[in-house]
Amino acid sequence: MSAVSHLNYGLWRHPDDWSWRHTELEHWTSLATTLEDGGFDTLFIADALGLLDTYAGNAAASLRTGTQSPLDDPLLAVSAMAACTRHLGFGVTVSTTYEHPYLLARKLTTLDHLSQGRIGWNIVTSQLDSAARNLGLAQQLDHDERYDRADEFMEVVYKLWEWSWTDDAVVRDRVRGIYTDPSKVRPIAHHGRWYRVPDAHLSEPSPQRTPLLLQAGGSPRGQAFAARHAELVFVAGAHAEGIRRGVEATRALAVQAGRGPRAIRFIAPVTVVTGADDREAGAKLADYRRHYDALGAVVHYAASTGIDFSTQDLDAPLVHRDTNANRSLLAHFTQDSTRDRPWTLREALDRPQGFGRHKTIVGGPARVADELQAWLRETGTDGINLAAIVNPGSFEDFAHFAVPELRRRGLVAERPAEPTTLRERVFGQPRLRADHPAHAIAARAGSASEVSA
Amino acid sequence: MSAVSHLNYGLWRHPDDWSWRHTELEHWTSLATTLEDGGFDTLFIADALGLLDTYAGNAAASLRTGTQSPLDDPLLAVSAMAACTRHLGFGVTVSTTYEHPYLLARKLTTLDHLSQGRIGWNIVTSQLDSAARNLGLAQQLDHDERYDRADEFMEVVYKLWEWSWTDDAVVRDRVRGIYTDPSKVRPIAHHGRWYRVPDAHLSEPSPQRTPLLLQAGGSPRGQAFAARHAELVFVAGAHAEGIRRGVEATRALAVQAGRGPRAIRFIAPVTVVTGADDREAGAKLADYRRHYDALGAVVHYAASTGIDFSTQDLDAPLVHRDTNANRSLLAHFTQDSTRDRPWTLREALDRPQGFGRHKTIVGGPARVADELQAWLRETGTDGINLAAIVNPGSFEDFAHFAVPELRRRGLVAERPAEPTTLRERVFGQPRLRADHPAHAIAARAGSASEVSA
């Protein structure tokens, strides 16, 4: 996120942390080169469109703790990072709720051009009431309705990306004076419930056409959406067993929808604290924990679940209230089939042997590699989303201490000599797999009766 | 524009021109360093949100001639250019019609942060029916209504930029654990006809707070909007006398609105073809004219005026039809009080001694400096918007041949040793002048009765 604190609540107070420099370009370019040099595949960039104000009904606690505020637009830093790297992918979060598909399609095509095919799109539908309130909606759309609309949004962008321009539309014929062959640019004629987009895409096809599609759908409706559209799914949770169930459920839904069992790759969040040896890593964790701000964690958790926890006792069982969506979110965040009693707020937010509510691995290179290997096996995931605690610090430590050992075990691939697109790195091909529904949807473009010539 | 041809119709066919590389980052970073090294103040970036399809009622001719198509999103390349420069300003075109003020305010604040105060915003209301059609409007809003809504849009962003966060809101107090002092972040409580934005800005104040405000209002309503809001006004036209009248009229309106006579600086477009001497420059012009594509010019002119010229004889008097807006646009594009007979299409689009429909200056360094000096005096403008014919080529030539002579005459300022904000370069101060209406508008923020605590 372009904020001092996304998940590392309070760590901006740590003397090593310079996250407050997120308003400066050099913060982003040095992060990108650190990741590229360190062997990372992709930088994942989260975003939100409103202040966090569920806790106590106002934004004061999020402002005071710096939790996801102030919050700048992270999409605008991507080209600077792309300019100083050749391999690193960028997973950008853009909501389908407040942007029109015709312009969002052009944005992501542009970034995919500028980065030479290194863009992933984390599709979100925006859950914050504070965003809805300031963006012209009297109140938030119903959760399932947001996803229904997002489904149609995807239809529109698939038609624009996969069908509107043929690969050979731009001919650049200097002699005949033809830049684009108009017969190879097709109006999509989309006339749906939510969107009307009669014309052709504004941009010529980018290296990936459709950017790599990422999604993190926790609710049943979100999971169905992910199973249908996503190529890379983030599964939240700190428990291997819960994550494995999420992976299997989404994969089964994808197969039901006609996609292959390997059509989706899965990623879960992991926090790693490492150093020269276990002792050094343990000392770092203790130091980080001293800078952890539990209030920031509660503020974020309240916004994620829609529940105002400001009067909740940290050690009493968690209550859900109001809506089915709240109940399902709460269940999602606390998923752990091995427990037979309700969670307390403290337990949900912070694991005593770790950091925050994610899986935490603490140790020297060998222990980190052992535990990561076991974690991937137990969860059935294909990779991790490494959450930073301090920046700079966490990514550098991982690259310096953990990556060499992970490479030795074949868990981090050697980088190809020449850059490839992001999708090639994940699936071995630059364009969407043949079993992705975008192909069938795009094939239905251009068929509305009122299309003009 | 992020397209091969904005105003230099057909010149993508010239062997020197590499504009088709606009999909590559290096196109933008090398353009930015050329301009910065060449002594330019600002890169102005145009944009549009639809294909040009007024001509013959479809986009075929614009696609074939490469006129403003394919068209990528230019905003996304700015951070890469900011990262490789220190002084260059960026005037970015963003429409008020299809974007919500709450998110647009965050975008421009973010870019102003990342560039350390080098952002100008060219405020447009989007005239293309093709944009309206694809972006959820059944038809284009009426021209004056677009400006009425834009006025309210400006109210919202002034409140967010100038009032919502105090300069000292971010305290970053590591000891007390306070990142932002919530008492210094104020909800703007805007409840207007078009927009409801109850909450505070998402971002902390950037170096300029409000980016430098640019506008190009040709119609009477556009001129009134510019007189009220703009700090830098683009005056179109090829005739010194018509431009002078535009400058004087806008200045008079600004003074009526309570702003000082120097509250607005004026810029007019000029095309310069230069070389070692007049002969070399003349030979270049002849070469460029051979690559000029009149059809591209007609396609653009049709979209700008809303008139389908596909059946118009090039040498018959121009006709206006349909609407007052068309009539006023046509008058605007052909303004020249010294003429007593109607224009032909050929005359409106291309001047025989120049290039395209702008003022053209052709010659070696001394002649260019003489004519520019006379032009600035006759028009009463403060600077020029140099239109490229070939890229690379036009900017390099101007920097190499013209700038040294202009510097000797004091027409191009020496660059300060340390970078400054864009507004400091133009007005000597980083924040809006005291006579700008944003201050009074922002002071009314937060006063709606339904504001919660």
Side-chain angles (χ1 to χ4, degrees):
Chain A
M1 263 190 165
S2 186
V4 284
S5 179
H6 174 204
L7 302 167
N8 53 344
Y9 319 107
L11 265 291
W12 61 267
R13 300 173 303 178
H14 193 284
D16 290 354
D17 192 78
W18 283 40
S19 297
W20 55 271
R21 289 185 59 202
H22 69 97
T23 55
E24 299 173 22
L25 266 177
E26 214 219 315
H27 170 85
W28 296 99
T29 54
S30 80
L31 172 61
T33 50
T34 294
L35 296 182
E36 170 138 315
D37 296 346
F40 288 82
D41 287 312
T42 301
L43 169 62
F44 174 71
I45 310 173
D47 193 20
L49 303 176
L51 294 167
L52 305 187
D53 59 3
T54 308
Y55 183 91
N58 65 60
S62 68
L63 289 163
R64 207 160 55 239
T65 58
T67 306
Q68 306 191 10
S69 83
L71 183 65
D72 283 357
D73 187 337
L75 203 65
L76 294 165
V78 171
S79 73
M81 294 190 281
C84 66
T85 53
R86 295 173 68 225
H87 297 272
L88 188 68
F90 301 96
V92 299
T93 300
V94 186
S95 170
T96 59
T97 302
Y98 303 108
E99 178 124 37
H100 198 281
Y102 196 60
L103 294 184
L104 180 135
R106 184 177 75 143
K107 270 187 189 173
L108 293 179
T109 296
T110 300
L111 280 181
D112 202 50
H113 275 305
L114 295 177
S115 66
Q116 301 188 282
R118 293 187 276 148
I119 299 300
W121 172 27
N122 178 38
I123 310 161
V124 298
T125 59
S126 299
Q127 61 177 351
L128 294 175
D129 285 337
S130 57
R133 199 163 57 230
N134 289 286
L135 292 166
L137 296 176
Q139 57 176 10
Q140 184 65 274
L141 291 179
D142 171 73
H143 174 268
D144 285 6
E145 198 175 31
R146 285 207 313 275
Y147 273 110
D148 291 345
R149 191 162 84 153
D151 266 321
E152 191 189 325
F153 193 109
M154 298 308 293
E155 274 192 54
V156 176
V157 296
Y158 292 150
K159 291 171 179 176
L160 293 169
W161 283 331
E162 296 292 329
W163 187 84
S164 184
W165 291 58
T166 67
D167 279 334
D168 57 354
V170 172
V171 292
R172 214 180 289 143
D173 183 332
R174 288 187 157 100
V175 177
R176 294 193 301 153
I178 301 174
Y179 194 80
T180 301
D181 179 347
S183 72
K184 295 178 171 173
V185 178
R186 301 175 288 200
I188 66 166
H190 179 88
H191 301 278
R193 179 178 164 213
W194 300 93
Y195 301 106
R196 291 175 67 90
V197 181
D199 291 348
H201 194 25
L202 289 168
S203 304
E204 67 194 287
S206 67
Q208 299 186 115
R209 283 188 173 262
T210 298
L212 189 73
L213 299 172
L214 325 180
Q215 226 265 332
S219 67
R221 184 64 183 86
Q223 209 170 43
F225 183 89
R228 182 163 161 73
H229 299 285
E231 301 174 86
L232 197 66
V233 168
F234 295 95
V235 191
H239 300 276
E241 174 57 24
I243 289 173
R244 169 177 285 280
R245 276 187 287 117
V247 168
E248 286 167 358
T250 302
R251 180 172 288 138
L253 287 171
V255 169
Q256 270 174 40
R259 303 174 68 189
R262 291 289 287 159
I264 300 178
R265 305 297 155 88
F266 295 90
I267 298 276
V270 175
T271 300
V272 175
V273 181
T274 185
D277 54 33
D278 292 356
R279 194 204 50 77
E280 194 180 299
K284 278 185 193 171
L285 175 66
D287 178 35
Y288 296 153
R289 286 185 63 85
R290 276 192 296 277
H291 292 86
Y292 179 81
D293 185 347
L295 178 58
V298 179
V299 164
H300 185 200
Y301 195 50
S304 302
T305 56
I307 303 168
D308 174 7
F309 289 113
S310 61
T311 56
Q312 168 89 34
D313 184 323
L314 272 175
D315 297 300
L318 271 177
V319 291
H320 48 71
R321 62 133 210 248
D322 299 339
T323 65
N324 280 331
N326 280 354
R327 204 167 301 132
S328 112
L329 276 164
L330 199 60
H332 166 66
F333 280 109
T334 53
Q335 58 182 246
D336 180 2
S337 66
T338 63
R339 285 177 70 94
D340 55 0
R341 59 191 171 79
W343 290 70
T344 66
L345 186 55
R346 191 190 302 279
E347 288 170 332
L349 293 175
D350 191 19
R351 19 211 69 257
Q353 308 309 322
F355 183 89
R357 62 183 193 235
H358 294 319
K359 166 74 175 175
T360 309
I361 296 176
V362 186
R367 179 184 295 268
V368 168
D370 288 348
E371 292 197 18
L372 266 179
Q373 218 158 1
W375 170 260
L376 292 173
R377 194 177 56 239
E378 289 162 18
T379 55
T381 53
D382 302 284
I384 64 164
N385 185 9
L386 184 73
I389 298 180
V390 287
N391 183 11
S394 297
F395 298 131
E396 285 81 352
D397 279 355
F398 190 85
H400 184 73
F401 296 111
V403 168
E405 180 61 25
L406 294 169
R407 273 200 212 282
R408 260 191 294 278
R409 302 188 188 190
L411 289 171
V412 168
E414 289 302 324
R415 178 150 286 164
E418 282 308 305
T420 66
T421 63
L422 181 54
R423 187 176 283 108
E424 274 168 288
R425 208 129 12 101
V426 180
F427 289 105
Q429 59 185 66
R431 300 284 168 87
L432 284 169
R433 285 165 51 115
D435 61 355
H436 194 281
H439 297 294
I441 291 168
R444 292 199 302 271
S447 58
S449 55
E450 61 261 64
V451 190
S452 59
Chain B
M1 257 189 172
S2 186
V4 284
S5 180
H6 174 205
L7 302 167
N8 52 343
Y9 319 107
L11 266 291
W12 61 267
R13 300 173 302 176
H14 193 284
D16 289 354
D17 192 79
W18 282 39
S19 296
W20 55 271
R21 292 185 57 202
H22 71 95
T23 55
E24 299 173 22
L25 264 179
E26 213 218 317
H27 169 85
W28 295 99
T29 54
S30 79
L31 173 60
T33 49
T34 294
L35 296 182
E36 170 136 317
D37 296 346
F40 288 80
D41 287 312
T42 301
L43 169 62
F44 174 71
I45 310 173
D47 192 18
L49 304 176
L51 293 168
L52 305 187
D53 59 4
T54 308
Y55 183 90
N58 65 61
S62 69
L63 289 163
R64 209 160 54 242
T65 58
T67 306
Q68 307 191 9
S69 84
L71 184 64
D72 284 356
D73 187 337
L75 204 65
L76 295 166
V78 170
S79 73
M81 294 190 281
C84 66
T85 53
R86 295 173 68 225
H87 297 272
L88 188 68
F90 302 95
V92 299
T93 300
V94 186
S95 170
T96 58
T97 302
Y98 303 108
E99 177 124 39
H100 199 280
Y102 197 60
L103 294 184
L104 180 136
R106 185 178 76 142
K107 272 189 187 172
L108 293 179
T109 295
T110 300
L111 281 181
D112 203 52
H113 275 305
L114 295 177
S115 66
Q116 301 190 281
R118 293 187 277 149
I119 300 299
W121 172 27
N122 178 37
I123 311 160
V124 297
T125 59
S126 300
Q127 61 178 351
L128 294 175
D129 285 338
S130 58
R133 199 163 57 228
N134 288 287
L135 293 166
L137 296 177
Q139 54 175 13
Q140 185 65 275
L141 291 180
D142 171 72
H143 174 268
D144 285 6
E145 200 175 28
R146 286 209 312 276
Y147 274 111
D148 290 345
R149 191 162 85 153
D151 265 322
E152 192 187 324
F153 193 110
M154 298 306 295
E155 273 191 54
V156 175
V157 295
Y158 291 151
K159 289 171 179 175
L160 292 168
W161 283 331
E162 296 291 329
W163 187 84
S164 184
W165 290 59
T166 66
D167 280 334
D168 58 354
V170 173
V171 293
R172 212 180 291 144
D173 183 331
R174 287 187 156 101
V175 178
R176 293 192 303 155
I178 302 174
Y179 194 80
T180 300
D181 179 347
S183 72
K184 295 179 172 172
V185 178
R186 302 175 286 199
I188 66 166
H190 179 89
H191 301 278
R193 178 179 163 211
W194 300 92
Y195 301 107
R196 290 176 67 90
V197 181
D199 290 349
H201 194 26
L202 288 167
S203 304
E204 67 194 288
S206 67
Q208 298 185 115
R209 284 187 172 262
T210 298
L212 189 72
L213 299 172
L214 325 182
Q215 226 265 333
S219 67
R221 184 64 183 86
Q223 208 170 42
F225 183 89
R228 182 163 160 77
H229 298 285
E231 301 174 271
L232 197 66
V233 168
F234 295 96
V235 191
H239 300 277
E241 173 59 23
I243 290 173
R244 170 178 285 281
R245 274 187 288 117
V247 168
E248 285 167 359
T250 303
R251 181 172 289 139
L253 287 170
V255 170
Q256 270 174 39
R259 302 175 69 190
R262 292 288 287 158
I264 300 178
R265 303 297 155 88
F266 294 90
I267 299 276
V270 175
T271 299
V272 174
V273 181
T274 184
D277 53 34
D278 292 355
R279 194 203 51 77
E280 193 180 300
K284 278 184 193 172
L285 175 66
D287 178 36
Y288 295 153
R289 285 185 64 86
R290 275 193 296 279
H291 292 86
Y292 180 80
D293 186 346
L295 177 59
V298 178
V299 163
H300 185 200
Y301 196 49
S304 302
T305 57
I307 302 169
D308 174 6
F309 290 112
S310 62
T311 56
Q312 168 91 31
D313 184 323
L314 273 175
D315 297 299
L318 272 176
V319 290
H320 47 70
R321 63 135 212 246
D322 299 339
T323 65
N324 280 331
N326 279 355
R327 206 166 300 133
S328 110
L329 277 165
L330 199 60
H332 166 65
F333 279 110
T334 54
Q335 59 181 246
D336 180 1
S337 66
T338 64
R339 284 177 70 94
D340 53 1
R341 58 190 173 77
W343 289 70
T344 67
L345 186 54
R346 190 189 303 282
E347 287 170 332
L349 292 175
D350 191 19
R351 19 213 68 260
Q353 308 309 321
F355 183 90
R357 64 181 192 239
H358 294 319
K359 165 74 176 174
T360 309
I361 295 176
V362 186
R367 180 185 296 268
V368 167
D370 287 349
E371 291 196 19
L372 266 180
Q373 218 159 3
W375 169 261
L376 293 172
R377 195 178 53 240
E378 288 161 19
T379 55
T381 53
D382 302 284
I384 66 165
N385 185 9
L386 185 73
I389 297 179
V390 287
N391 181 13
S394 297
F395 297 132
E396 285 81 353
D397 280 355
F398 190 85
H400 184 73
F401 296 111
V403 168
E405 179 60 26
L406 293 169
R407 272 200 213 282
R408 260 191 294 279
R409 300 188 190 191
L411 289 171
V412 169
E414 289 302 325
R415 179 150 286 166
E418 282 309 305
T420 66
T421 64
L422 181 53
R423 187 175 283 108
E424 274 168 289
R425 208 131 9 103
V426 179
F427 289 105
Q429 60 186 64
R431 302 283 168 88
L432 284 169
R433 286 165 50 115
D435 60 355
H436 194 281
H439 296 295
I441 291 168
R444 293 200 302 270
S447 57
S449 55
E450 61 259 62
V451 189
S452 60

